[in-house]
Amino acid sequence: MRSEALCRFRPRALPTLGLLVAVVSAAAQSDPLPSWNDGPTKTAIVNFVQETTTPGGANFVPPEARVVTFDQDGTLWVEHPIYTQVMYILDRVPDVIAKKPELRHVEPFKTVMSGDHAAIAKLTLPDLEKIAAVTLAGMTVDQFNAEVKKWLATARHPRWKRPYTDLVYQPMLEAMRYLRANGYKTFIVTGGGQDFVRVYADQVYGVQPDQVVGTAAETKFGYDKHGRPILMKEAKVMLDDNNAGKPEGIHLVIGRQPFAAFGNSTGDRQMLEYTGAGSGRRLMMLVLHDDAQREYAYGPAEGLPDSKVGTFTQQLYDEAKAKGWFVISMKRDWKRIFPFDP
Amino acid sequence: MRSEALCRFRPRALPTLGLLVAVVSAAAQSDPLPSWNDGPTKTAIVNFVQETTTPGGANFVPPEARVVTFDQDGTLWVEHPIYTQVMYILDRVPDVIAKKPELRHVEPFKTVMSGDHAAIAKLTLPDLEKIAAVTLAGMTVDQFNAEVKKWLATARHPRWKRPYTDLVYQPMLEAMRYLRANGYKTFIVTGGGQDFVRVYADQVYGVQPDQVVGTAAETKFGYDKHGRPILMKEAKVMLDDNNAGKPEGIHLVIGRQPFAAFGNSTGDRQMLEYTGAGSGRRLMMLVLHDDAQREYAYGPAEGLPDSKVGTFTQQLYDEAKAKGWFVISMKRDWKRIFPFDP
């Protein structure tokens, strides 16, 4: 086949080939991170990509090893006033009570049903886990997916009155796309529920289900009353994908040490340490929520108030500085926060 | 950019682009499965690929959903006279005894150290699990990988006197490549150890670590004496990737129902049932070891003798026939068995 003929040949199996070439070509000519302000953080991302993808360079990473991991809550999307998945499980409680009325007068369900926002806000993590166990289990994976999809279509964030899936950070979407365009596989490594995040990860982040690592309950394979195979969601947690659970989950699902990792809280510390422990060039970044006007400001680092979610402690901040991890200031580093105009 | 210039443009991020086009182009013109004899089995694979990848067709599967799963032992490589990983753990025993001499006189270690082949062959599954727990745990993931690599380099199969990694089925390698060339992600879903298989899966099958689902022990993130992050392998099994564990493991790691699944024993039954339960066109295949001359003949189906490993029972055979699963006869369907000439 002559080279010109080869060029015109469009294999059926690769319908997006032309598009890919066009995208990569355009990316090479324009700013791949238009929503990032110029500065050391943006430069660090661009330098990391260039150094690790330049063949023959000292820090070249072969394509198959290009793995980057992203925490979700507070790193890719808004986690205030409370994790989206917690909103979901609280909203599910009335349905659960309808099926199991005996729970109505049992804590913590009683508090949720009271509608007392102040009391609900004071629920502890064990309370929430109890609710999660009951609301997320006892159905098939397919039923769960359908439930979450339905909820996402109607639920609105209290501040922006928009679907939660709109409240993703445009600069992080650009970083994910830029890394993917350079051969990196982008994995989400979330403390949130793996099945929950998988429902919208493709649509929202362009991340396929096999590239979502998250807190996972056991499933149980069995048969329905017609003898058809089903997977039931069980109440028993198999992988708690927080803190040390993040590198453990990365090993279980990905099986490679990441070359870059993005997080925003103490729950991401071990993931960044694990990433940084690898040889060669690595990139570790933490999002600091210091923009009360456009998003939120929380965490004791830089004197900001502490928070129930996404704790960015002074200790984490000190470790970041000591180890050369980059702290992304939402206020200074991000030209815009969301894909929409608020 | 003119189309000719676009053609010459070779984006840095896609160094294999030209290669991909060449491979797909060549595949379109020649037989993608040269080691398969013509017949219903080969035709079924080709038809499945064509039907599920033809845009606009009733059974078209979008590229992101193209998932196919392969059992390993007995499906992709030889499992006789005993699983390769069992050979590995038995070979590891002297090293373990050197470090823990108190085990020398404790069963089942005593039997292994006796060198009595007949007695060793009679070890039960719980015996082997006891040995596995001791030989596979208590080291870091990196140490384990190095150990396995070292062993694979010197260990030889008793019949062919070749490295175990040579004893892969050429027709299955072709099926994997053919599916990948048509946009399918090829996952290994093995009852064997996930970390064990990952060591050679890329080199042998072209399968990356994140596409290996296997029986997995817990790992524990911590720090070595220099404060460097490490992942230790623990003795506790987290995922038993056999039988019902296969669809459960597929959900955990892949998060999508496969469109095709290949196995060879009762341990693969639920994986094939789960695959077949999906809507649209699906392909389920079981390798039948009926070729004593070129490989082995075992399993009661078609009157062959039963076996300790890879049991292909009459019940499984009946289920395959009833559900339209294809039975691959090594003897009739495979022109050659191995990549090498025996």
Side-chain angles (χ1 to χ4, degrees):
Chain A
M1 204 184 264
R2 285 176 48 225
S3 69
E4 203 186 345
L6 182 72
C7 179
R8 263 192 249 109
F9 170 74
R10 294 187 179 266
R12 198 175 268 179
L14 293 168
T16 57
L17 202 62
L19 187 64
L20 263 177
V21 173
V23 167
V24 175
S25 164
Q29 290 162 19
S30 65
D31 183 354
L33 301 171
S35 299
W36 292 73
N37 287 316
D38 289 334
T41 317
K42 177 174 180 172
T43 302
I45 300 174
V46 173
N47 285 350
F48 168 79
V49 168
Q50 289 181 347
E51 280 184 44
T52 58
T53 59
T54 303
N59 292 315
F60 179 72
V61 177
E64 67 274 14
R66 292 183 197 163
V67 165
V68 51
T69 55
F70 295 85
D71 166 60
Q72 185 193 222
D73 293 297
T75 299
L76 295 179
W77 76 351
V78 172
E79 64 182 351
H80 261 255
I82 200 161
Y83 299 128
T84 303
Q85 195 179 357
V86 172
M87 291 300 303
Y88 169 71
I89 65 168
L90 292 176
D91 281 358
R92 283 270 304 147
V93 169
D95 269 14
V96 170
I97 299 283
K99 279 174 201 154
K100 298 183 180 177
E102 69 275 16
L103 291 176
R104 178 179 288 274
H105 306 291
V106 179
E107 289 297 356
F109 302 95
K110 195 175 158 188
T111 295
V112 177
M113 293 301 284
S114 74
D116 176 346
H117 291 290
I120 292 169
K122 279 186 196 141
L123 290 173
T124 63
L125 195 61
D127 288 336
L128 294 172
E129 281 168 355
K130 246 179 246 170
I131 300 170
V134 175
T135 52
L136 304 182
M139 55 182 135
T140 68
V141 166
D142 289 346
Q143 285 166 341
F144 174 82
N145 291 347
E147 280 288 347
V148 174
K149 226 175 251 178
K150 212 173 80 183
W151 183 81
L152 285 172
T154 56
R156 294 293 180 269
H157 189 281
R159 177 166 160 188
W160 287 278
K161 318 290 180 205
R162 284 178 165 269
Y164 288 93
T165 46
D166 281 5
L167 299 173
V168 291
Y169 306 135
Q170 175 64 20
M172 294 304 284
L173 294 180
E174 291 169 7
M176 292 179 102
R177 275 186 220 124
Y178 176 47
L179 284 155
R180 280 199 295 265
N182 284 280
Y184 275 90
K185 284 190 191 172
T186 54
F187 290 85
I188 293 174
V189 179
T190 174
Q194 178 165 283
D195 284 347
F196 185 83
V197 176
R198 279 170 168 172
V199 172
Y200 56 83
D202 182 12
Q203 170 210 329
V204 174
Y205 304 115
V207 170
Q208 293 300 313
D210 61 318
Q211 294 179 356
V212 175
V213 187
T215 296
E218 287 188 358
T219 57
K220 200 174 160 60
F221 178 83
Y223 306 90
D224 69 12
K225 58 184 177 184
H226 308 290
R228 283 186 298 241
I230 47 168
L231 272 179
M232 291 292 293
K233 284 180 74 70
E234 303 283 293
K236 195 180 161 205
V237 171
M238 188 174 185
L239 172 67
D240 176 6
D241 201 46
N242 283 297
N243 308 305
K246 290 211 172 190
E248 291 160 8
I250 287 170
H251 180 70
L252 179 72
V253 177
I254 308 176
R256 282 189 188 275
Q257 217 160 342
F259 274 83
F262 293 75
N264 79 306
S265 81
T266 54
D268 303 313
R269 184 167 75 88
Q270 289 88 341
M271 175 168 78
L272 269 65
E273 288 176 345
Y274 181 57
T275 302
S279 59
R281 185 84 160 75
R282 309 270 163 166
L283 180 70
M284 284 68 68
M285 293 201 157
L286 288 167
V287 175
L288 178 68
H289 296 259
D290 58 358
D291 194 332
Q293 205 188 334
R294 294 189 300 170
E295 203 243 11
Y296 294 100
Y298 53 97
E302 305 203 326
L304 301 169
D306 201 355
S307 157
K308 256 186 96 163
V309 295
T311 312
F312 196 141
T313 61
Q314 187 62 45
Q315 195 188 11
L316 182 64
Y317 193 86
D318 293 343
E319 183 171 351
K321 290 292 160 191
K323 293 188 171 165
W325 301 350
F326 287 84
V327 174
I328 300 168
S329 160
M330 293 186 93
K331 197 169 181 171
R332 288 188 307 270
D333 288 320
W334 288 358
K335 209 172 281 180
R336 64 183 301 153
I337 307 288
F338 301 115
F340 60 89
D341 289 311
Chain B
M1 202 184 265
R2 284 176 51 224
S3 70
E4 203 187 342
L6 182 71
C7 179
R8 263 192 250 109
F9 170 73
R10 292 186 182 268
R12 196 175 268 179
L14 292 167
T16 58
L17 201 64
L19 187 65
L20 261 176
V21 172
V23 168
V24 174
S25 164
Q29 289 162 20
S30 64
D31 183 355
L33 301 171
S35 299
W36 293 70
N37 287 316
D38 289 335
T41 317
K42 178 175 179 170
T43 303
I45 299 174
V46 173
N47 286 351
F48 168 80
V49 168
Q50 289 181 347
E51 280 185 45
T52 58
T53 60
T54 303
N59 292 315
F60 178 72
V61 177
E64 67 274 12
R66 292 182 197 164
V67 165
V68 51
T69 56
F70 295 85
D71 167 59
Q72 185 193 222
D73 293 297
T75 300
L76 295 179
W77 76 352
V78 172
E79 64 182 352
H80 261 255
I82 199 161
Y83 299 128
T84 303
Q85 196 179 358
V86 172
M87 291 300 303
Y88 169 71
I89 65 169
L90 292 176
D91 282 356
R92 283 271 303 147
V93 169
D95 269 13
V96 170
I97 299 282
K99 279 175 201 153
K100 297 183 180 175
E102 70 276 14
L103 292 176
R104 179 180 286 276
H105 306 290
V106 178
E107 288 296 358
F109 301 95
K110 197 176 158 188
T111 296
V112 177
M113 293 302 285
S114 74
D116 175 347
H117 290 292
I120 292 170
K122 280 185 194 142
L123 290 174
T124 62
L125 195 61
D127 287 336
L128 294 172
E129 280 169 356
K130 247 179 244 167
I131 300 169
V134 174
T135 52
L136 303 181
M139 54 182 136
T140 68
V141 166
D142 290 344
Q143 285 165 342
F144 173 82
N145 291 347
E147 281 288 345
V148 174
K149 226 174 252 177
K150 212 172 81 183
W151 183 81
L152 286 172
T154 56
R156 294 292 179 269
H157 190 280
R159 175 166 163 189
W160 287 279
K161 318 289 181 204
R162 284 179 163 268
Y164 288 93
T165 46
D166 281 6
L167 299 174
V168 291
Y169 306 134
Q170 176 64 21
M172 294 305 283
L173 293 180
E174 291 169 6
M176 292 178 102
R177 275 186 220 121
Y178 176 47
L179 284 155
R180 279 199 294 267
N182 284 280
Y184 274 90
K185 283 190 193 173
T186 54
F187 289 85
I188 293 174
V189 178
T190 174
Q194 178 165 283
D195 284 348
F196 185 82
V197 177
R198 279 172 169 171
V199 171
Y200 55 83
D202 182 11
Q203 171 211 328
V204 174
Y205 305 115
V207 170
Q208 294 301 312
D210 59 318
Q211 293 179 356
V212 175
V213 187
T215 295
E218 289 190 357
T219 56
K220 200 172 159 60
F221 178 83
Y223 307 89
D224 69 12
K225 59 184 177 183
H226 308 290
R228 283 186 297 241
I230 47 169
L231 272 180
M232 290 295 292
K233 283 180 74 72
E234 304 282 294
K236 197 182 161 204
V237 170
M238 189 174 183
L239 172 67
D240 175 6
D241 200 46
N242 283 296
N243 307 308
K246 290 212 174 192
E248 291 160 9
I250 288 169
H251 180 69
L252 179 71
V253 177
I254 308 177
R256 283 190 188 274
Q257 217 160 341
F259 274 82
F262 293 75
N264 79 305
S265 80
T266 53
D268 303 313
R269 185 167 74 90
Q270 290 87 342
M271 176 168 78
L272 269 65
E273 289 176 345
Y274 181 58
T275 303
S279 59
R281 185 85 161 74
R282 309 270 162 166
L283 180 71
M284 283 68 67
M285 291 201 158
L286 288 167
V287 175
L288 178 68
H289 295 259
D290 57 358
D291 194 333
Q293 205 189 333
R294 295 189 299 170
E295 204 241 12
Y296 295 99
Y298 53 96
E302 304 204 325
L304 300 169
D306 202 354
S307 158
K308 255 186 98 164
V309 296
T311 313
F312 196 140
T313 61
Q314 188 61 46
Q315 195 188 12
L316 182 64
Y317 194 85
D318 294 343
E319 183 171 350
K321 291 290 162 195
K323 293 188 172 165
W325 301 350
F326 287 85
V327 174
I328 301 169
S329 160
M330 292 187 95
K331 197 169 181 168
R332 288 189 306 272
D333 288 321
W334 288 359
K335 207 172 285 180
R336 65 184 299 152
I337 307 288
F338 301 116
F340 60 89
D341 289 312

